Amino acid sequence: MTAVETHQAPRKAKEHGPERTVRDEPPGWLVRLRRQKLASYVILVVFAVLYIGPLLMLVTTAFKTLPEFFQNPTGMPESLRFENFTEAWNEAQFARYLVNSVVYTTVATAVCVVTSVLVAFPIARGYLKGGRYILLLYVIALFLPPALIPQFQLILNLGLFNTRAGYILLFLVNPIGIIILVNYIKAIPRELDESAAIDGCGYYRFVFKIIVPLIRPAIATVTVLHAIGLWNELVLAIIYLTNDDLYPVTRGLIAFEGLYGANWPPMAAAVLILMTPMVVLFLFLQRYIVSGLTAGAVKG
Amino acid sequence: MRESPTGGNPGIPHTTTVIHRSYLFARGWRSATPVLLLLPGFLLYLVMAVGPSLATAVYSFTDATGIRGIAINWIGFENYDEFLLRGAASRDNIAALRRTVYFCLFVTVIQFGIGLLFAVLLNQKIRGKKFFRTLFFMPVILGVAIQGLIWKLFLLPRGGPAAEFFQLFGWTSELLGGQPRQAFAWVIVVQIWANAGITMVIFLAGMQTIPNELYEAARIDGAGKWQLFRNVTWPLLTPAVNTNLLLNIIGSLQAWQLFLVLIGYRPGTQVLGYLVFAEGFGQTSGSVASAFRQGYAAAASIALFILVLVFALVTHAWLSRREKRYIG
């Protein structure tokens, strides 16, 4: 209670001048409201500690020497040493892992998004016989059994095991993305198609020059969702890539953990190096991520 | 918009022009073009997703290995028999199945509750709303490798923050390295930490669709905060509740990757998803011969699939009955 009042009183003074600073008895409803807000804050702060705590531990550890860490794991580091970061960067091939991750993510996401638009557009418009059934097939797939084992047999027999191409091949389709795109395209007026056809604008050009710019928010959502899932993929990287040179960052991080074991300071530095760009990107792309995750979730 | 045939005649309702496919494609577009351009994406989908998905059932009746060039034989229900009915291994498998259900129940209930709590608190006019939302959602985008490693450090048994905290109550524990049951419980905690943000944003999106007038009307009728939640928010949140319940149940039944990062393949902690991976891709600690049993792993993944299907269908049926009750 007092915390809230002392926090608000000086603000009032600034806004309304000295005559309104003292309010002897706030009305009952205001007291209740403030009490409720205080309770909300208490709960939120308790949870925030649970969310920040692990991150704080990571940051402090990344700046410690190993003896310092063993003596006092939870304390603050004595000085800001960046040696752990350089050590992590040099010892593991993080530069290469990053390049791999970037290659896998951009190539697979680009192919996935372009092909998805070309699937979604004619389905949304009804330009195909049986388009409705194709859409149904994409919806049903979300409930089919996991494809893990036959997929592995397929890649193995194509001779693509432990290759970049084979790994990328695993990430070229995204049924949820198709569904998001179809729903979005349905809202674009169909008169556009007619005018374009009359003006002699070809189908391919129409889709990429006119439809794509119009559905940019949906494309951004699908791109971001697909790219994040792919970037974070660990299991398929463990299954399909055995060569250290081909590892994406997730797999590289786990390999680094295997080598460094209990040597947490460089380990924490490595995690921090790989996490920071994700967090920064997230702060910028939050809107698309959230809209992708909640797409269709609340319409009933 | 083009002029409709009825013109501006006020007597006849204005209708949008219907564009016939034949018209469109007779004018400029060759009718094969959409199909040709759709094919790459669709074929990829059939070959990489639908086909393998269905083939899982076929593989579950074979003795396939993950080694190239070894013949694959049809062995009927052998894999299922061994998985569920034969010997010590099957007892472990049944235990894993039960554990998967426990994991699902704990994660679903707690994550649903916490997600709802976050959403209710952060749907108020409150300072720092954006900060809290961002903070609670952030773990979602980090992925299992980073999520797992962050918590492995936090749960350091000697002198780590969590251990220190519990020491205050005189409770010492090896945390992730402790009894299987404890390790399992910690994976539940991390799983919820990692995913509660999704539940929260879905609830928040649902709450934003509830018109403010309803709250005002209820408030004028003298409804308190709890009544507002019970009689306005909760019933109108039904679509978000349905989505979250189904997503949480399906997601947690299939989740196992945090087990991999946090504790590895440890007896007494495995869930079904991990079992599929371990049997199919040689991550069990056994000999090479016992590893890479992909037919067997396919049978296990069909078992998991059936579990997910049953849970999803039962939940769905229950939810639609509940929805009817609300709508009347």
Side-chain angles (χ1 to χ4, degrees), chain A residues 36-37 40-41 126-127 137 141 143-146 150-153 190 194 201 232 257 278 282 286 297, chain B residues 19 21 23-24 29 45 48 52-53 56 65 68 124-125 127 134 137 141-142 152 161 225 243 294 297 305:
Chain A
Q36 200 172 30
K37 278 226 169 126
S40 302
Y41 275 120
Y127 289 158
L137 197 60
F143 305 101
L144 287 177
Q151 224 176 34
F152 179 79
Q153 297 274 342
R190 298 168 63 120
E194 195 196 12
C201 172
N232 286 335
E257 193 212 353
M278 291 291 290
F282 162 66
Q286 199 172 4
Chain B
I19 305 159
R21 275 185 11 194
Y23 175 82
L24 192 70
W29 294 356
Y45 177 58
M48 291 310 299
S53 209
T56 302
T65 61
R68 213 176 161 190
Q124 310 175 85
K125 281 202 190 79
R127 254 158 191 281
T134 307
F137 187 75
I141 54 131
L142 294 180
K152 231 177 169 170
K225 271 262 169 174
T243 308
Q294 302 215 322
F305 165 67

Side-chain angles (χ1 to χ4, degrees), chain B residues 226-246:
Chain B
W226 168 247
Q227 281 168 313
L228 282 181
F229 176 78
R230 181 71 192 77
N231 297 319
V232 181
T233 312
W234 184 246
L236 287 170
L237 212 53
T238 302
V241 169
N242 294 355
T243 308
N244 270 331
L245 261 188
L246 280 171

Side-chain angles (χ1 to χ4, degrees), chain A:
Chain A
M1 215 40 242
T2 46
V4 175
E5 272 170 355
T6 48
H7 177 61
Q8 284 185 349
R11 273 175 58 84
K12 284 258 161 56
K14 253 180 236 158
E15 283 162 18
H16 302 291
E19 70 275 12
R20 289 193 59 184
T21 41
V22 185
R23 191 187 276 171
D24 291 321
E25 275 176 44
W29 63 270
L30 194 64
V31 173
R32 267 200 304 281
L33 191 74
R34 283 184 183 172
R35 198 171 294 157
Q36 200 172 30
K37 278 226 169 126
L38 187 72
S40 302
Y41 275 120
V42 170
I43 299 171
L44 286 171
V45 167
V46 167
F47 275 102
V49 168
L50 269 175
Y51 275 76
I52 295 175
L55 301 178
L56 199 66
M57 177 71 182
L58 186 77
V59 174
T60 56
T61 304
F63 287 103
K64 283 176 186 169
T65 60
L66 190 59
E68 203 183 337
F69 174 70
F70 276 131
Q71 267 167 20
N72 184 9
T74 45
M76 294 308 275
E78 276 156 20
S79 62
L80 282 184
R81 301 169 62 256
F82 286 90
E83 280 87 341
N84 290 324
F85 292 90
T86 47
E87 186 185 349
W89 186 262
N90 294 332
E91 287 303 309
Q93 314 182 37
F94 279 118
R96 182 174 301 188
Y97 300 152
L98 271 169
V99 171
N100 287 336
S101 271
V102 168
V103 169
Y104 298 144
T105 307
T106 44
V107 173
T109 306
V111 174
C112 174
V113 169
V114 170
T115 54
S116 293
V117 168
L118 288 171
V119 171
F121 178 70
I123 292 178
R125 283 295 201 251
Y127 289 158
L128 289 175
K129 269 187 201 144
R132 217 181 321 151
Y133 300 104
I134 295 182
L135 186 62
L136 193 67
L137 197 60
Y138 278 98
V139 177
I140 285 175
L142 303 173
F143 305 101
L144 287 177
L148 199 63
I149 301 233
Q151 224 176 34
F152 179 79
Q153 297 274 342
L154 181 68
I155 297 283
L156 194 70
N157 288 306
L158 287 173
L160 293 174
F161 178 75
N162 197 22
T163 62
R164 286 204 167 85
Y167 189 66
I168 289 173
L169 205 52
L170 300 167
F171 300 99
L172 297 183
V173 293
N174 188 339
I176 297 174
I178 299 271
I179 294 164
I180 293 175
L181 287 173
V182 166
N183 284 335
Y184 206 90
I185 293 171
K186 277 185 178 160
I188 308 278
R190 298 168 63 120
E191 282 82 1
L192 275 178
D193 301 21
E194 195 196 12
S195 331
I198 290 171
D199 293 346
C201 172
Y203 177 82
Y204 183 83
R205 204 154 69 104
F206 175 69
V207 172
F208 284 101
K209 283 275 155 66
I210 299 185
I211 291 298
V212 165
L214 287 173
I215 58 170
R216 213 179 290 149
I219 289 184
T221 299
V222 175
T223 306
V224 167
L225 269 191
H226 194 76
I228 287 181
L230 208 166
W231 185 276
N232 286 335
E233 180 60 49
L234 171 64
V235 170
L236 293 181
I238 291 179
I239 291 176
Y240 286 94
L241 302 173
T242 52
N243 186 342
D244 183 65
D245 290 341
L246 302 178
Y247 285 173
V249 285
T250 46
R251 181 71 186 87
L253 204 53
I254 297 298
F256 189 61
E257 193 212 353
L259 287 178
Y260 269 63
N263 190 354
W264 272 104
M267 192 59 225
V271 175
L272 212 54
I273 291 173
L274 298 177
M275 196 180 109
T276 312
M278 291 291 290
V279 173
V280 172
L281 262 181
F282 162 66
L283 294 178
F284 284 107
L285 300 174
Q286 199 172 4
R287 187 161 57 102
Y288 296 111
I289 300 170
V290 170
S291 78
L293 285 170
T294 55
V298 292
K299 275 187 230 137

